[in-house]
Structures are given as C-alpha cells and as structure tokens.
C-alpha cells in the first residue's frame, strides 16, 4: 500500500502503544484514512481478535484493497471496514453484535490526501469547486454554505471554528459578493476574503478560514461529541481511548470527555462531593510528536495525543 502518498500516520507507535493492543481483543479505529494505524493494530492482533475501521470517504476504502495485509485480515474476519461516519459507532457495533471493545483510536486530522487532491476544494492552494465534503454522497457543499447561510451564521462559523477576529467583516463581504455572483470555487472565495488578511499572517489565517468552513460542512464538532459519547458506552472496563487532536476546539472536547465524561466538562459529584468520571488518564500530560517526526512530517506539528482508560461503571 502506498500509504505515504495518501497519508502519513501521526504518533503511530505512541497512540497504539497507549491502547495496549492484545491478540484476541476487539478494537476500533474510527479514522481509517490511509490505513497506517489500522495496519499496525492488525499486526499486533497476530491473526486473532477483531478490528473495525471507520471512514466515510470512498478514497479511503480503496486503501484496503491496496494493502495485502489488510485484505488478508479482512478475508480471515479479523478486519472489517465500515464505510460510515464515526458518529454512528454505537449503531454499527450493535449491528456486528459487539457488546464492548477493548480500545478505540481516533486520529482527528484531515488526511494529507484531501489537501493534495486538487478536485475536492479542501485547500486554498488549488482552484477547484468548493466541495469539502468527506462523504461526497451526502450533505451540502462548502459553496452551498457560502451562498445560502445568512451573514450572522457565517460570522459565527468563522469566529468559533476558525477563531478569526475579522469574522463579521468577512461574512459581510461574502454576502455582498454573492449578490453579484455565486461563490463556486476556491478562487472565487479567495478573491472575496484576501483583503482581510495581512500578508505576514495570510497563510495561517487562510488555513483557519478553510478549516472553519470544512468543520461546518462536515459537522465535525457534533460528530466528534456523538462518537465520544458512543465510545464511553462501548468501551469495556479497562478499555483504552486514544485520541489525536490538531486544534484547540476538538482538543478541548476530548479533554473534557476524558476528565468529566462529557463534552462540556461539567463534573458531577455524589452526596459526599466525590467527582465521578468514567475515565482515568493514562498519560498525565499530552504526548506530542518528537522533533524528528515533526521534521519528517510537518502535518504532525500541531498534534496532541490524549489517552484515557475506562473505569468500572458505577452501579
């Protein structure tokens, strides 16, 4: 499998070591992508147990057929690919008759493949139709968001998901521009927003803008919350949750779930004031890529790995 051409797995050893994969166990990789993490989990299963890997993108599914290792594991019933959004984790586990899993991995970064694909509209480096859908079979495109959302809603997206201080001005410019001509391509979009970015920060702020639009198109924050809630339910006692994040929005949600059991971070206490959480931390501090990995794979520079273990459920 030409994995590096599609996606280089980040924190590969650290994230899977943290899961404590054992032959005969049941594991889930909710972000298959190029298959790098899944392949390593399959190797550690040694022909026993089960691995279920999720991805809603048809391009990712083709990586299974390109990997002799994963294809063989699928034939033996060790590996199962699930073409679906990970927000439906609980439903699919029920479908496959799985009561609990021993570990779950999530690499929340967008695959390098998506940024390098000139046709999908994920990157401002290429002129392409503004699609940005991970699942091209459903949902609305980025162009539809830009041409149909009202000014206030657009401003909120850019402020909350992109943390851009000029969000209101950008939203107003988009609404004004689309009255003259629909915004259909990345170049159409850039023509409208470029005046709002200072040259020294242009690339960083542009990346934040495209990130915000992508998050909205794919409902990433809602899907993440649903997946983490489902993970808490399907993980058995002692099961490990291993999550790699890339920006503060998703990292805050993951941290809250691991500390308090919910995305808002609200801690519930019993009559005696004892705070209950379904998890205990495995790595007390976030794990970040080594300098060597960051140089080898620049995409990894913003990555943070959090690992937690499911504690015994209270009666």
């Amino acid at each position: 499998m030409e994995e590096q051409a599609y996606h280089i797995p980040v924190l590969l050893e650290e994230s899977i070591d943290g899961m404590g994969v054992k032959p005969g166990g049941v594991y889930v990789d909710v972000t298959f992508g190029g298959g790098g993490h899944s392949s390593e989990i399959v190797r550690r299963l040694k022909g026993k147990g089960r691995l279920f890997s999720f991805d809603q993108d048809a391009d990712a599914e083709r990586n299974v057929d390109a990997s002799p290792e994963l294809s063989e594991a699928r034939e033996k019933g060790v590996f199962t690919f699930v073409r679906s959004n990970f927000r439906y984790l609980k439903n699919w586990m029920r479908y496959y008759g799985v009561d609990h899993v021993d570990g779950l991995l999530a690499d929340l970064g967008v695959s390098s493949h998506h940024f390098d694909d000139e046709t999908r509209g994920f990157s401002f480096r290429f002129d392409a139709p503004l699609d940005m859908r991970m699942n091209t079979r459903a949902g609305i495109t980025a162009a539809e968001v830009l041409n149909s959302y009202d000014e206030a809603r657009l401003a909120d997206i850019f402020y909350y998901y992109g943390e851009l201080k000029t969000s209101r001005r950008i939203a107003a410019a988009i609404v004004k521009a689309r009255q003259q001509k629909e915004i259909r391509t990345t170049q159409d979009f850039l023509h409208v927003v470029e005046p709002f970015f200072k040259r020294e920060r242009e690339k960083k702020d542009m990346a934040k803008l495209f990130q915000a639009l992508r998050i909205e198109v794919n409902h990433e924050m809602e899907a993440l919350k649903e997946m983490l809630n489902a993970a808490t339910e399907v993980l058995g006692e002692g099961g490990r949750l291993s999550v790699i994040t890339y920006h503060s929005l998703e990292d805050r949600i993951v941290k809250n779930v691991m500390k308090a059991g919910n995305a808002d971070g609200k801690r519930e206490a019993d009559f005696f004031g004892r705070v209950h959480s379904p998890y205990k931390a495995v790595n007390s501090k976030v794990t970040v890529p080594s300098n060597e990995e960051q140089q080898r794979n620049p995409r990894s520079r913003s990555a943070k790995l959090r690992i937690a273990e499911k504690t015994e459920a209270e009666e």
Side-chain angles (χ1 to χ4, degrees):
M1 178 173 69
E2 293 182 356
E3 179 194 335
Q4 290 196 2
Y6 186 98
H7 176 68
I8 304 172
V10 172
L11 289 163
L12 177 63
E13 297 293 330
E14 296 90 339
S15 61
I16 297 176
D17 285 348
M19 288 173 68
V21 177
K22 297 179 178 62
V26 180
Y27 298 90
V28 180
D29 176 359
V30 295
T31 48
F32 178 76
H37 289 101
S38 286
S39 294
E40 182 60 27
I41 294 171
V42 164
R43 291 183 198 111
R44 299 190 188 198
L45 287 176
K46 301 184 185 301
K48 304 173 184 178
R50 301 289 300 275
L51 170 64
F52 297 89
S53 293
F54 285 67
D55 206 298
Q56 59 187 328
D57 197 319
D59 290 347
E61 187 171 9
R62 296 188 190 102
N63 291 323
V64 179
D65 296 326
S67 167
E69 184 175 40
L70 291 176
S71 296
E72 182 182 354
R74 181 162 60 178
E75 289 177 9
K76 291 181 177 179
V78 173
F79 174 74
T80 300
F81 182 86
V82 183
R83 188 178 173 189
S84 176
N85 190 302
F86 59 36
R87 71 195 309 167
Y88 304 117
L89 167 68
K90 186 178 177 181
N91 292 346
W92 281 105
M93 292 299 95
R94 186 186 300 119
Y95 174 80
Y96 284 108
V98 176
D99 295 325
H100 71 273
V101 302
D102 300 298
L104 184 145
L105 170 73
D107 178 359
L108 301 177
V110 178
S111 291
S112 311
H113 165 77
H114 290 120
F115 289 121
D116 294 335
D117 187 339
E118 299 182 17
T119 67
R120 301 282 291 273
F122 283 96
S123 173
F124 54 83
R125 291 180 292 142
F126 312 112
D127 187 20
L130 277 167
D131 192 316
M132 292 194 184
R133 291 174 299 167
M134 297 293 185
N135 179 3
T136 55
R137 300 176 298 177
I140 66 171
T141 67
E144 289 172 310
V145 168
L146 292 175
N147 289 294
S148 65
Y149 281 23
D150 63 35
E151 185 177 321
R153 192 173 179 186
L154 287 171
D156 285 347
I157 290 168
F158 301 141
Y159 182 77
Y160 291 111
Y161 295 160
E163 300 177 305
L164 290 165
K165 295 179 181 178
T166 54
S167 61
R168 294 192 180 281
R169 292 168 58 204
I170 292 172
I174 289 169
V175 171
K176 183 178 179 181
R178 76 189 188 193
Q179 292 172 352
Q180 305 299 320
K181 175 191 173 185
E182 280 197 346
I183 301 169
R184 309 305 308 175
T185 69
T186 52
Q187 284 303 310
D188 291 342
F189 190 32
L190 292 177
H191 180 72
V192 175
V193 302
E194 276 179 334
F196 299 99
F197 298 128
K198 295 180 180 178
R199 186 167 298 278
E200 63 270 18
R201 287 189 53 84
E202 187 175 41
K203 287 186 178 180
K204 283 189 176 182
D205 287 341
M206 203 73 76
K208 288 183 176 182
L209 186 66
F210 273 64
Q211 169 188 289
L213 194 52
R214 189 200 75 231
I215 288 172
E216 174 63 20
V217 167
N218 295 287
H219 306 292
E220 291 179 26
M221 295 301 103
E222 296 92 335
L224 175 59
K225 291 175 184 178
E226 289 180 30
M227 183 275 288
L228 291 171
N229 287 337
T232 301
E233 293 188 47
V234 302
L235 279 167
E237 181 185 347
R240 296 282 183 90
L241 179 61
S242 180
V243 186
I244 304 169
T245 65
Y246 293 83
H247 57 78
S248 60
L249 297 171
E250 59 193 17
D251 186 59
R252 190 178 305 121
I253 292 171
V254 173
K255 180 172 67 174
N256 285 343
V257 168
M258 289 184 174
K259 285 190 173 183
N262 60 77
D264 297 324
K266 296 178 181 177
R267 297 194 173 201
E268 296 182 3
D270 62 16
F271 179 78
F272 300 100
R274 293 174 300 194
V275 176
H276 169 71
S277 171
Y279 294 104
K280 64 177 180 181
V282 172
N283 57 341
S284 55
K285 294 184 178 180
V286 294
T287 302
V288 297
S290 65
N291 291 333
E292 182 183 357
E293 179 173 1
Q294 291 183 43
Q295 290 179 359
R296 187 174 67 249
N297 181 12
R299 177 185 166 277
S300 72
R301 289 172 184 168
S302 60
K304 294 180 180 178
L305 170 65
R306 296 182 185 274
I307 305 169
E309 183 175 297
K310 180 79 176 294
T311 57
E312 183 178 3
E314 290 185 351
E315 298 294 334

